[in-house]
Amino acid sequence: MTITGTNFASGATVTFGAAAATNVSITNSTTMTATTPAGSGGAVTVTVTFNGRSGSLANGFTYTAVPAVSSVSPNGGPTGGGTAVTITGANFAAGATVTFGGTAATNVNVTNSTTITATTPAGSAGAVTVTVAVNGQSGSLTNGFTINP
């Protein structure tokens, strides 16, 4: 990620919350890049330290939690689609999209961070993977829904 500020110099370190960034590289006195460490969902303070002095930006970076799909109910429906389903999992958020075997569901509604309702698309008979995507991250349940002939 790129960090902008002032007075950056070689030897500076960067932390995201309490975790140290890697691959810190000073581009010039106002720009640096760093690789973010692993983190859990939510905003953290970004701190740049050089020669014992530091500058921080509260809530300067937000980790996006990866969605996870744990179940689909009902877990089967007809090839014509149109089955109203409830998808259970974690880290769901507004703007989520849902696919069944790569085909977009309709009427997607994020009820809360653990529940989505949607309507299945038409598809060929067989078990398909159900995928939820949020903010560029996705989670899937392999063979989570069976399209019945």
Side-chain angles (χ1 to χ4, degrees):
M1 88 165 291
T2 300
I3 302 167
T4 57
T6 57
N7 302 317
F8 296 156
S10 182
T13 60
V14 180
T15 57
F16 289 78
T22 57
N23 303 315
V24 176
S25 177
I26 307 300
T27 305
N28 56 47
S29 65
T30 61
T31 306
M32 64 185 343
T33 59
T35 302
T36 56
S40 56
V44 296
T45 297
V46 178
T47 302
V48 175
T49 304
F50 178 70
N51 282 343
R53 299 172 84 175
S54 63
S56 298
L57 178 60
N59 300 319
F61 184 80
T62 301
Y63 285 97
T64 303
V66 176
V69 179
S70 54
S71 68
V72 180
S73 179
N75 64 357
T79 57
T83 302
V85 296
T86 299
I87 302 164
T88 304
N91 304 319
F92 299 157
T97 60
V98 177
T99 59
F100 286 77
T103 303
T106 58
N107 302 317
V108 176
N109 180 48
V110 179
T111 306
N112 56 45
S113 65
T114 62
T115 307
I116 291 176
T117 58
T119 303
T120 62
S124 300
V128 297
T129 297
V130 178
T131 301
V132 173
V134 180
N135 297 321
Q137 305 277 351
S138 64
S140 299
L141 179 61
T142 303
N143 298 328
F145 188 83
T146 301
I147 300 172
N148 300 310

